[in-house]
Coordinates of all heavy atoms in Angstrom, one line a residue:
M1 N 149.6 -3.8 291.4 CA 148.3 -3.3 291.7 C 147.7 -2.6 290.6 O 148.2 -1.6 290.2 CB 148.2 -2.5 293.0 CG 147.0 -2.1 293.7 SD 146.9 -1.0 295.0 CE 148.1 -1.9 296.1
N2 N 146.5 -3.0 290.2 CA 145.9 -2.3 289.0 C 145.1 -1.0 289.5 O 145.1 -0.7 290.6 CB 144.9 -3.3 288.3 CG 143.6 -3.5 289.1 OD1 143.2 -2.8 289.8 ND2 143.2 -4.8 288.9
V3 N 144.8 -0.2 288.4 CA 144.3 1.1 288.6 C 142.9 1.1 289.4 O 142.7 1.9 290.3 CB 144.0 1.8 287.2 CG1 143.3 3.1 287.4 CG2 145.3 2.0 286.5
S4 N 142.1 0.0 289.2 CA 140.9 -0.1 290.0 C 141.1 -0.2 291.4 O 140.3 0.3 292.2 CB 140.1 -1.3 289.3 OG 138.8 -1.5 290.0
N5 N 142.1 -1.1 291.8 CA 142.4 -1.2 293.2 C 142.9 -0.1 293.9 O 142.6 0.3 295.0 CB 143.4 -2.4 293.4 CG 142.8 -3.8 293.3 OD1 141.6 -3.9 293.3 ND2 143.8 -4.8 293.2
V6 N 143.7 0.7 293.1 CA 144.2 1.9 293.7 C 143.0 3.0 293.9 O 143.0 3.5 294.9 CB 145.3 2.5 292.7 CG1 145.7 3.8 293.1 CG2 146.5 1.6 292.6
K7 N 142.2 3.0 293.0 CA 141.1 3.9 293.1 C 140.2 3.5 294.3 O 139.6 4.2 295.1 CB 140.2 4.0 291.8 CG 140.9 4.7 290.7 CD 140.0 4.7 289.5 CE 140.6 5.5 288.3 NZ 139.8 5.5 287.2
Q8 N 139.9 2.1 294.4 CA 139.1 1.7 295.5 C 139.8 2.0 296.9 O 139.1 2.3 297.8 CB 138.9 0.1 295.4 CG 137.9 -0.2 294.3 CD 137.8 -1.7 294.1 OE1 138.7 -2.6 294.5 NE2 136.8 -2.1 293.4
K9 N 141.1 1.8 296.9 CA 141.8 2.0 298.1 C 141.6 3.6 298.5 O 141.6 3.9 299.6 CB 143.3 1.6 298.1 CG 143.4 0.0 298.3 CD 144.8 -0.2 298.3 CE 144.9 -1.8 298.8 NZ 146.1 -2.1 299.3
R10 N 141.9 4.3 297.5 CA 141.7 5.8 297.8 C 140.3 6.2 298.3 O 140.2 7.1 299.2 CB 142.0 6.6 296.5 CG 143.6 6.7 296.1 CD 143.8 7.7 295.0 NE 145.2 7.6 294.8 CZ 145.7 7.9 293.6 NH1 144.9 8.2 292.5 NH2 147.0 7.8 293.4
V11 N 139.3 5.7 297.6 CA 137.9 5.9 298.1 C 137.8 5.5 299.6 O 137.2 6.2 300.4 CB 136.9 5.3 297.2 CG1 135.5 5.3 297.7 CG2 136.9 5.9 295.8
R12 N 138.2 4.3 299.9 CA 138.1 3.7 301.1 C 138.9 4.6 302.2 O 138.4 4.8 303.3 CB 138.6 2.2 301.1 CG 138.4 1.6 302.6 CD 138.6 0.1 302.4 NE 138.7 -0.6 303.6 CZ 137.6 -0.8 304.5 NH1 136.4 -0.5 304.1 NH2 137.9 -1.5 305.5
L13 N 140.1 5.1 301.8 CA 140.9 5.8 302.8 C 140.1 7.2 303.0 O 140.1 7.6 304.1 CB 142.2 6.2 302.2 CG 143.1 7.0 303.0 CD1 143.4 6.5 304.4 CD2 144.4 7.4 302.2
K14 N 139.6 7.9 301.9 CA 138.8 9.0 302.1 C 137.6 8.8 303.0 O 137.4 9.7 303.9 CB 138.4 9.6 300.7 CG 139.4 10.3 299.9 CD 138.8 10.9 298.7 CE 140.0 11.6 297.9 NZ 139.4 12.3 296.8
Q15 N 136.9 7.7 302.8 CA 135.8 7.5 303.8 C 136.2 7.4 305.2 O 135.6 7.8 306.2 CB 135.1 6.1 303.4 CG 134.3 6.3 302.1 CD 133.8 4.9 301.6 OE1 134.4 3.9 301.9 NE2 132.6 4.9 300.8
F16 N 137.3 6.6 305.4 CA 137.9 6.4 306.7 C 138.3 7.7 307.4 O 138.0 8.0 308.6 CB 139.1 5.4 306.7 CG 139.9 5.3 307.9 CD1 139.3 4.6 309.0 CD2 141.2 5.8 308.0 CE1 140.0 4.5 310.2 CE2 141.9 5.6 309.2 CZ 141.3 4.9 310.2
L17 N 139.1 8.6 306.6 CA 139.5 9.9 307.2 C 138.2 10.8 307.5 O 138.3 11.4 308.5 CB 140.4 10.5 306.2 CG 141.7 9.8 306.0 CD1 142.6 10.4 304.8 CD2 142.5 9.8 307.3
K18 N 137.2 10.7 306.8 CA 136.0 11.4 307.0 C 135.3 11.0 308.3 O 135.0 11.7 309.1 CB 134.9 11.3 305.9 CG 133.7 12.1 306.0 CD 132.8 12.4 304.8 CE 131.7 13.1 305.2 NZ 131.4 13.9 306.2
I19 N 135.2 9.6 308.5 CA 134.7 9.1 309.6 C 135.6 9.5 310.9 O 135.0 9.9 311.8 CB 134.5 7.6 309.6 CG1 133.5 7.2 308.5 CG2 134.2 6.9 310.9 CD1 133.3 5.7 308.1
L20 N 136.8 9.4 310.7 CA 137.8 9.8 311.8 C 137.6 11.3 312.2 O 137.6 11.6 313.4 CB 139.2 9.6 311.4 CG 139.9 8.2 311.6 CD1 141.4 8.3 311.3 CD2 139.7 7.8 313.0
S21 N 137.4 12.1 311.2 CA 137.2 13.6 311.6 C 135.8 13.8 312.2 O 135.8 14.9 312.9 CB 137.2 14.3 310.2 OG 136.0 14.2 309.5
E22 N 135.1 12.9 312.2 CA 133.7 13.0 312.9 C 133.7 12.1 314.2 O 132.6 12.2 314.9 CB 132.6 12.7 312.0 CG 132.5 13.6 310.8 CD 131.5 13.0 309.7 OE1 131.1 11.8 309.9 OE2 131.3 13.8 308.8
D23 N 134.7 11.4 314.5 CA 134.7 10.5 315.7 C 134.8 11.4 317.1 O 135.7 12.1 317.3 CB 136.0 9.8 315.6 CG 136.1 8.6 316.7 OD1 135.5 8.8 317.8 OD2 136.7 7.6 316.5
P24 N 133.7 11.2 317.8 CA 133.6 12.1 319.1 C 134.7 11.7 320.1 O 135.1 12.6 320.8 CB 132.2 11.7 319.6 CG 131.8 10.4 318.9 CD 132.4 10.4 317.6
S25 N 135.2 10.5 320.0 CA 136.2 10.2 321.0 C 137.6 10.9 320.6 O 138.4 10.9 321.4 CB 136.5 8.7 321.0 OG 137.0 8.1 319.8
L26 N 137.7 11.4 319.3 CA 138.9 12.2 319.0 C 138.7 13.7 319.2 O 139.7 14.4 319.0 CB 139.3 11.8 317.5 CG 139.6 10.3 317.2 CD1 139.9 10.3 315.7 CD2 140.9 10.0 318.0
M27 N 137.5 14.1 319.6 CA 137.3 15.5 319.8 C 137.6 15.9 321.2 O 137.4 17.1 321.6 CB 135.9 15.8 319.4 CG 135.7 15.6 317.8 SD 134.0 16.0 317.5 CE 134.0 15.5 315.9
N28 N 138.0 15.1 322.0 CA 138.3 15.4 323.5 C 139.6 16.4 323.4 O 140.7 16.0 323.3 CB 138.6 14.2 324.2 CG 138.8 14.5 325.8 OD1 139.0 15.6 326.1 ND2 138.7 13.4 326.5
Q29 N 139.3 17.7 323.9 CA 140.4 18.6 323.8 C 141.5 18.4 324.9 O 142.7 18.7 324.6 CB 139.8 20.1 324.1 CG 138.9 20.5 323.0 CD 139.5 20.7 321.7 OE1 140.6 21.2 321.7 NE2 138.9 20.3 320.7
E30 N 141.2 17.7 325.9 CA 142.2 17.5 326.9 C 143.2 16.6 326.6 O 144.5 16.7 326.9 CB 141.5 16.8 328.2 CG 140.6 17.8 329.1 CD 140.0 17.1 330.1 OE1 140.3 16.0 330.5 OE2 139.0 17.7 330.6
R31 N 142.9 15.6 325.7 CA 143.8 14.6 325.1 C 144.8 15.2 324.2 O 145.9 14.8 323.9 CB 143.1 13.5 324.5 CG 142.6 12.5 325.4 CD 142.1 11.4 324.7 NE 141.4 10.5 325.6 CZ 140.7 9.3 325.1 NH1 140.4 9.2 323.9 NH2 140.1 8.5 326.1
Q32 N 144.3 16.3 323.5 CA 145.3 16.9 322.5 C 146.6 17.5 323.1 O 147.6 17.7 322.4 CB 144.5 18.0 321.7 CG 143.5 17.3 320.9 CD 142.7 18.5 319.9 OE1 143.0 19.6 320.0 NE2 141.8 18.0 319.2
E33 N 146.5 17.8 324.5 CA 147.7 18.3 325.1 C 148.9 17.2 325.1 O 150.0 17.5 325.2 CB 147.4 18.7 326.5 CG 146.4 19.8 326.7 CD 146.0 20.1 328.0 OE1 146.6 19.5 329.0 OE2 145.0 21.0 328.2
D34 N 148.4 15.9 325.0 CA 149.4 14.8 325.1 C 149.8 14.4 323.6 O 150.6 13.5 323.6 CB 148.7 13.5 325.8 CG 148.4 13.8 327.2 OD1 148.9 14.8 327.9 OD2 147.6 13.2 327.7
S35 N 149.3 15.1 322.7 CA 149.7 14.8 321.4 C 151.1 15.0 321.0 O 151.9 15.8 321.6 CB 148.8 15.5 320.3 OG 149.1 16.9 320.4
R36 N 151.7 14.2 320.3 CA 153.2 14.2 319.9 C 153.4 14.6 318.4 O 152.6 14.3 317.6 CB 153.8 12.8 320.2 CG 153.8 12.5 321.7 CD 154.6 11.2 321.9 NE 154.5 11.0 323.3 CZ 155.2 9.9 323.8 NH1 155.8 9.1 323.1 NH2 155.1 9.8 325.1
S37 N 154.6 15.1 318.1 CA 154.9 15.4 316.7 C 155.1 14.0 316.0 O 155.4 13.0 316.5 CB 156.1 16.2 316.6 OG 157.2 15.5 317.0
L38 N 155.1 14.1 314.6 CA 155.4 13.0 313.8 C 156.8 12.4 314.1 O 157.1 11.3 314.2 CB 155.1 13.4 312.3 CG 155.6 12.2 311.3 CD1 154.7 10.9 311.6 CD2 155.4 12.7 309.9
A39 N 157.7 13.4 314.3 CA 159.2 13.0 314.5 C 159.2 12.2 315.9 O 160.0 11.2 315.8 CB 160.1 14.2 314.7
E40 N 158.5 12.7 316.9 CA 158.5 11.9 318.1 C 158.0 10.5 318.0 O 158.4 9.6 318.5 CB 157.8 12.7 319.2 CG 158.5 14.0 319.7 CD 157.5 14.8 320.6 OE1 156.4 15.0 320.3 OE2 158.0 15.1 321.8
L41 N 156.8 10.4 317.2 CA 156.2 9.1 317.0 C 157.2 8.2 316.2 O 157.3 6.9 316.5 CB 154.9 9.3 316.3 CG 153.8 10.1 316.9 CD1 152.7 10.3 316.0 CD2 153.4 9.4 318.3
L42 N 157.8 8.7 315.2 CA 158.9 7.9 314.5 C 159.9 7.4 315.5 O 160.4 6.2 315.4 CB 159.4 8.8 313.4 CG 158.4 9.1 312.2 CD1 159.1 10.0 311.3 CD2 158.0 7.8 311.5
M43 N 160.4 8.3 316.4 CA 161.4 8.0 317.3 C 161.0 6.9 318.3 O 161.7 5.9 318.5 CB 162.0 9.2 318.0 CG 163.2 8.9 318.8 SD 163.9 10.4 319.5 CE 162.6 11.0 320.6
V44 N 159.9 7.1 318.8 CA 159.3 6.2 319.9 C 159.0 4.7 319.2 O 159.4 3.7 319.8 CB 157.8 6.6 320.3 CG1 157.1 5.6 321.0 CG2 158.1 7.7 321.2
T45 N 158.7 4.6 317.9 CA 158.4 3.3 317.3 C 159.7 2.7 316.7 O 159.8 1.5 316.4 CB 157.4 3.4 316.2 OG1 157.8 4.2 315.2 CG2 156.2 3.9 316.8
G46 N 160.8 3.5 316.5 CA 161.9 3.0 315.8 C 161.8 2.9 314.3 O 162.6 2.4 313.6
Y47 N 160.6 3.6 313.8 CA 160.4 3.5 312.4 C 161.3 4.5 311.7 O 161.2 5.8 312.1 CB 158.9 3.7 312.1 CG 158.5 3.8 310.6 CD1 158.8 2.6 309.9 CD2 157.9 4.9 310.2 CE1 158.4 2.7 308.5 CE2 157.4 5.0 308.8 CZ 157.7 3.8 308.0 OH 157.3 3.8 306.7
T48 N 162.1 4.1 310.6 CA 163.0 5.1 310.1 C 162.9 5.0 308.5 O 163.5 4.1 307.9 CB 164.5 4.8 310.5 OG1 164.8 3.5 310.2 CG2 164.7 5.1 311.9
P49 N 162.0 5.8 308.0 CA 161.9 5.7 306.6 C 163.1 6.3 305.9 O 163.7 7.3 306.3 CB 160.6 6.6 306.3 CG 160.6 7.5 307.5 CD 161.0 6.8 308.6
R50 N 163.6 5.7 304.9 CA 164.8 6.2 304.2 C 164.4 6.8 302.9 O 164.1 6.0 301.9 CB 165.7 5.0 304.1 CG 165.9 4.2 305.3 CD 167.4 4.1 305.6 NE 167.8 3.2 306.7 CZ 167.9 3.7 308.0 NH1 167.8 5.0 308.3 NH2 168.1 2.8 309.0
N51 N 164.4 7.9 302.7 CA 164.2 8.7 301.5 C 162.8 8.3 300.9 O 162.8 8.1 299.6 CB 165.3 8.6 300.5 CG 166.6 9.2 301.0 OD1 166.6 10.2 301.7 ND2 167.7 8.5 300.9
E52 N 161.8 8.0 301.8 CA 160.5 7.7 301.3 C 159.5 8.3 302.1 O 159.8 8.7 303.2 CB 160.4 6.2 301.1 CG 160.6 5.6 302.4 CD 160.7 4.0 302.3 OE1 161.2 3.4 301.3 OE2 160.3 3.3 303.3
P53 N 158.3 8.5 301.6 CA 157.2 9.0 302.5 C 156.9 8.0 303.6 O 157.1 6.8 303.5 CB 156.0 9.0 301.6 CG 156.5 8.9 300.2 CD 157.9 8.2 300.3
V54 N 156.5 8.6 304.8 CA 156.2 7.8 306.0 C 154.9 7.0 305.6 O 153.9 7.5 305.2 CB 156.0 8.7 307.2 CG1 155.4 7.9 308.4 CG2 157.2 9.4 307.6
D55 N 155.0 5.8 305.9 CA 153.8 4.8 305.7 C 153.0 5.0 307.0 O 153.3 4.3 308.1 CB 154.3 3.4 305.4 CG 153.1 2.3 305.2 OD1 152.0 2.7 305.6 OD2 153.4 1.4 304.6
M56 N 151.9 5.7 306.9 CA 151.2 6.1 308.2 C 150.5 4.8 308.8 O 150.3 4.6 309.9 CB 150.2 7.2 308.0 CG 150.8 8.5 307.7 SD 152.0 9.0 308.9 CE 150.9 9.4 310.4
A57 N 150.1 3.8 307.8 CA 149.6 2.6 308.3 C 150.5 1.8 309.1 O 150.2 1.3 310.2 CB 149.0 1.8 307.2
E58 N 151.8 1.8 308.6 CA 152.8 1.1 309.3 C 153.1 1.7 310.6 O 153.3 1.1 311.7 CB 154.0 1.0 308.5 CG 155.3 0.2 309.0 CD 155.0 -1.2 309.4 OE1 154.2 -1.8 308.7 OE2 155.8 -1.8 310.2
L59 N 153.2 3.0 310.6 CA 153.5 3.8 311.9 C 152.4 3.5 312.9 O 152.7 3.2 314.0 CB 153.6 5.3 311.6 CG 153.9 6.1 312.8 CD1 155.1 5.7 313.4 CD2 153.8 7.6 312.4
V60 N 151.1 3.5 312.5 CA 150.0 3.3 313.5 C 150.1 1.9 314.0 O 149.9 1.6 315.2 CB 148.6 3.5 312.8 CG1 147.5 3.0 313.6 CG2 148.5 5.0 312.6
S61 N 150.4 0.9 313.2 CA 150.6 -0.6 313.5 C 151.7 -0.7 314.6 O 151.6 -1.3 315.6 CB 150.8 -1.4 312.4 OG 149.8 -1.6 311.5
L62 N 152.8 0.0 314.4 CA 153.9 0.0 315.3 C 153.5 0.7 316.6 O 153.9 0.2 317.6 CB 155.1 0.7 314.7 CG 155.8 0.0 313.5 CD1 156.8 0.9 312.9 CD2 156.6 -1.4 314.0
L63 N 152.8 1.7 316.6 CA 152.3 2.4 317.7 C 151.4 1.6 318.6 O 151.6 1.5 319.9 CB 151.7 3.8 317.5 CG 152.6 4.9 317.1 CD1 151.8 6.1 316.4 CD2 153.5 5.4 318.0
L64 N 150.6 0.9 317.9 CA 149.6 0.0 318.6 C 150.3 -1.2 319.3 O 150.2 -1.5 320.5 CB 148.7 -0.6 317.5 CG 147.5 0.3 317.1 CD1 146.7 -0.3 316.0 CD2 146.5 0.7 318.2
K65 N 151.4 -1.6 318.6 CA 152.2 -2.8 319.3 C 152.9 -2.2 320.5 O 153.2 -2.7 321.6 CB 153.1 -3.4 318.3 CG 152.4 -4.3 317.2 CD 153.3 -4.9 316.3 CE 152.7 -5.9 315.3 NZ 151.4 -5.9 315.1
K66 N 153.4 -0.9 320.3 CA 154.2 -0.3 321.4 C 153.4 -0.1 322.6 O 153.9 -0.2 323.8 CB 154.7 1.0 320.9 CG 155.7 1.6 321.7 CD 157.0 1.1 321.5 CE 158.1 1.7 322.3 NZ 159.4 1.1 322.3
V67 N 152.0 0.0 322.4 CA 151.2 0.3 323.6 C 150.6 -1.1 324.1 O 149.6 -1.1 324.9 CB 150.1 1.3 323.5 CG1 151.0 2.7 323.3 CG2 149.2 1.1 322.4
G68 N 151.0 -2.2 323.5 CA 150.5 -3.6 323.9 C 149.4 -4.0 323.1 O 148.8 -5.1 323.6
H69 N 149.0 -3.5 322.0 CA 147.8 -4.1 321.2 C 148.3 -5.0 320.3 O 149.4 -4.9 319.6 CB 147.1 -3.0 320.5 CG 146.4 -2.1 321.5 ND1 145.2 -2.3 321.8 CD2 146.7 -0.9 322.1 CE1 144.8 -1.4 322.7 NE2 145.7 -0.5 322.8
E70 N 147.6 -6.1 320.0 CA 148.0 -7.1 319.0 C 147.3 -6.8 317.7 O 147.9 -7.3 316.6 CB 147.5 -8.4 319.5 CG 148.3 -8.9 320.8 CD 148.4 -10.3 320.9 OE1 148.0 -11.1 319.8 OE2 148.6 -10.8 322.0
A71 N 146.4 -5.8 317.6 CA 145.9 -5.4 316.4 C 146.7 -4.5 315.5 O 147.7 -3.9 316.1 CB 144.5 -4.6 316.8
C72 N 146.4 -4.3 314.3 CA 147.1 -3.4 313.5 C 146.3 -2.3 312.9 O 145.2 -2.1 313.2 CB 147.7 -4.3 312.2 SG 146.6 -4.9 311.2
S73 N 146.9 -1.5 312.1 CA 146.1 -0.3 311.7 C 144.9 -0.7 310.7 O 144.0 -0.1 310.6 CB 147.0 0.6 310.8 OG 147.6 -0.1 309.7
E74 N 145.1 -1.8 310.0 CA 144.1 -2.4 309.2 C 142.9 -2.9 310.1 O 141.6 -2.6 309.7 CB 144.5 -3.4 308.4 CG 143.6 -3.9 307.2 CD 144.2 -4.8 306.2 OE1 145.3 -4.6 305.8 OE2 143.4 -5.7 305.9
D75 N 143.1 -3.4 311.2 CA 142.0 -3.8 312.2 C 141.3 -2.5 312.6 O 140.1 -2.6 312.8 CB 142.6 -4.6 313.3 CG 143.4 -5.9 313.0 OD1 142.8 -6.5 311.9 OD2 144.3 -6.2 313.5
M76 N 142.2 -1.5 313.0 CA 141.6 -0.3 313.5 C 140.7 0.3 312.5 O 139.6 0.8 312.7 CB 142.6 0.7 314.0 CG 142.0 1.9 314.5 SD 143.1 3.2 315.2 CE 143.7 3.9 313.6
M77 N 141.1 0.4 311.2 CA 140.4 1.0 310.1 C 139.2 0.1 309.9 O 138.0 0.7 309.8 CB 141.2 1.0 308.8 CG 140.5 1.7 307.6 SD 141.6 1.6 306.2 CE 140.6 2.6 305.1
E78 N 139.1 -1.2 310.0 CA 137.9 -1.9 309.9 C 136.8 -1.6 310.9 O 135.8 -1.6 310.7 CB 138.3 -3.4 309.8 CG 137.3 -4.3 309.2 CD 136.9 -4.2 307.8 OE1 137.9 -3.8 307.0 OE2 135.7 -4.2 307.5
H79 N 137.4 -1.6 312.1 CA 136.6 -1.2 313.3 C 135.8 0.0 313.1 O 134.6 0.2 313.2 CB 137.3 -1.2 314.7 CG 136.6 -0.9 315.9 ND1 135.8 -1.8 316.4 CD2 136.4 0.3 316.5 CE1 135.2 -1.2 317.5 NE2 135.5 0.1 317.5
V80 N 136.6 1.1 312.7 CA 136.0 2.4 312.5 C 135.0 2.5 311.3 O 133.9 3.0 311.4 CB 137.1 3.5 312.4 CG1 136.6 4.9 312.0 CG2 137.9 3.6 313.7
M81 N 135.4 1.8 310.3 CA 134.5 1.8 309.1 C 133.2 1.1 309.4 O 132.2 1.3 308.7 CB 135.1 1.1 308.0 CG 136.4 1.8 307.4 SD 136.0 3.5 306.6 CE 135.4 2.8 305.0
N82 N 133.3 0.1 310.4 CA 132.1 -0.6 310.7 C 131.2 0.1 311.9 O 130.3 -0.4 312.5 CB 132.4 -2.0 311.2 CG 132.8 -2.9 310.0 OD1 132.2 -2.7 308.9 ND2 133.7 -3.7 310.2
G83 N 131.6 1.5 312.0 CA 130.7 2.2 313.0 C 131.3 2.4 314.4 O 130.7 3.1 315.2
G84 N 132.5 1.8 314.7 CA 133.1 2.0 316.0 C 133.9 3.2 316.1 O 134.1 3.9 315.2
T85 N 134.3 3.5 317.2 CA 135.2 4.7 317.6 C 136.6 4.3 317.9 O 136.8 3.2 318.2 CB 134.7 5.6 318.7 OG1 134.8 4.9 319.9 CG2 133.2 5.9 318.6
V86 N 137.6 5.1 317.8 CA 138.9 4.9 318.2 C 139.0 4.5 319.5 O 139.7 3.5 319.9 CB 139.8 6.2 317.7 CG1 141.3 5.7 318.2 CG2 139.8 6.3 316.3
D87 N 138.3 5.1 320.4 CA 138.2 4.8 321.9 C 137.9 3.4 322.2 O 138.5 2.6 322.9 CB 137.5 5.7 322.8 CG 138.2 6.9 323.3 OD1 139.5 6.9 323.2 OD2 137.5 7.7 323.9
E88 N 136.8 3.0 321.5 CA 136.3 1.6 321.5 C 137.3 0.6 321.2 O 137.6 -0.3 321.9 CB 135.0 1.5 320.7 CG 133.7 2.1 321.3 CD 132.7 2.1 320.3 OE1 132.9 1.8 319.2 OE2 131.5 2.6 320.7
F89 N 138.0 0.9 320.0 CA 139.1 0.1 319.5 C 140.2 -0.1 320.5 O 140.6 -1.2 320.7 CB 139.5 0.6 318.1 CG 140.6 -0.2 317.6 CD1 140.3 -1.4 316.9 CD2 141.9 0.2 317.7 CE1 141.3 -2.2 316.4 CE2 142.8 -0.6 317.2 CZ 142.6 -1.9 316.5
M90 N 140.6 1.1 321.0 CA 141.7 1.0 322.0 C 141.4 0.2 323.2 O 142.1 -0.5 323.8 CB 142.1 2.5 322.3 CG 142.7 3.2 321.1 SD 144.1 2.4 320.3 CE 145.3 2.6 321.5
N91 N 140.1 0.2 323.6 CA 139.7 -0.6 324.8 C 139.4 -2.0 324.5 O 139.7 -2.8 325.5 CB 138.5 0.2 325.4 CG 138.7 1.5 326.0 OD1 139.9 1.7 326.6 ND2 137.9 2.4 325.9
I92 N 139.0 -2.4 323.4 CA 138.7 -3.8 323.2 C 139.8 -4.5 322.5 O 139.8 -5.8 322.6 CB 137.4 -4.0 322.2 CG1 137.6 -3.4 320.8 CG2 136.2 -3.4 323.0 CD1 136.5 -3.8 320.0
S93 N 140.8 -3.9 321.9 CA 141.8 -4.6 321.2 C 143.0 -5.0 322.1 O 144.0 -5.5 321.7 CB 142.3 -3.9 320.0 OG 142.9 -2.6 320.4
K94 N 142.9 -4.8 323.4 CA 144.1 -5.1 324.4 C 144.0 -6.5 324.7 O 143.1 -7.2 324.8 CB 144.0 -4.3 325.6 CG 144.5 -2.9 325.4 CD 144.6 -2.0 326.7 CE 145.2 -0.8 326.4 NZ 145.4 0.0 327.7

């Protein structure tokens, strides 16, 4: 992957994370009680990184599959980047 692609991916990721931070569907305080630790999420999905950083995109894709979605993290990112919310994505991608 060339330097330009890496920079573009970083910019896109920053945009995605900014949009996520403003997503009203993620600001529901009641849901935060159900949140799990990273270790629990790794265990639930069976994802076991070996001496490497956790690939969060892969983890999200595995979690989506675990709850019955056929979409992957890239699909979710695309939906959010196009103005959708995480809640909408979770409801339409089943």
Side-chain angles (χ1 to χ4, degrees):
M1 187 180 308
N2 66 33
V3 174
S4 178
N5 279 348
V6 171
K7 286 182 182 179
Q8 287 175 344
K9 284 189 172 200
R10 282 187 183 151
V11 167
R12 186 164 165 80
L13 178 60
K14 282 184 180 183
Q15 289 172 331
F16 173 66
L17 293 174
K18 179 163 178 23
I19 293 168
L20 274 185
S21 74
E22 298 167 351
D23 186 333
S25 69
L26 296 178
M27 294 182 188
N28 186 342
Q29 297 297 319
E30 292 174 19
R31 285 192 183 164
Q32 289 183 2
E33 293 174 11
D34 296 338
S35 63
R36 296 184 178 183
S37 70
L38 180 58
E40 289 174 306
L41 296 174
L42 292 170
M43 190 171 66
V44 165
T45 61
Y47 178 57
T48 54
R50 307 236 189 264
N51 297 321
E52 58 191 32
V54 173
D55 181 339
M56 294 304 290
E58 179 66 19
L59 180 60
V60 169
S61 292
L62 291 169
L63 287 167
L64 287 169
K65 286 185 183 3
K66 191 77 175 171
V67 296
H69 292 274
E70 297 202 15
C72 66
S73 61
E74 195 169 316
D75 297 327
M76 183 178 75
M77 185 174 184
E78 197 63 37
H79 177 80
V80 170
M81 294 292 287
N82 287 324
T85 66
V86 172
D87 267 354
E88 291 169 349
F89 177 80
M90 294 303 290
N91 290 326
I92 63 172
S93 66
K94 283 188 175 180

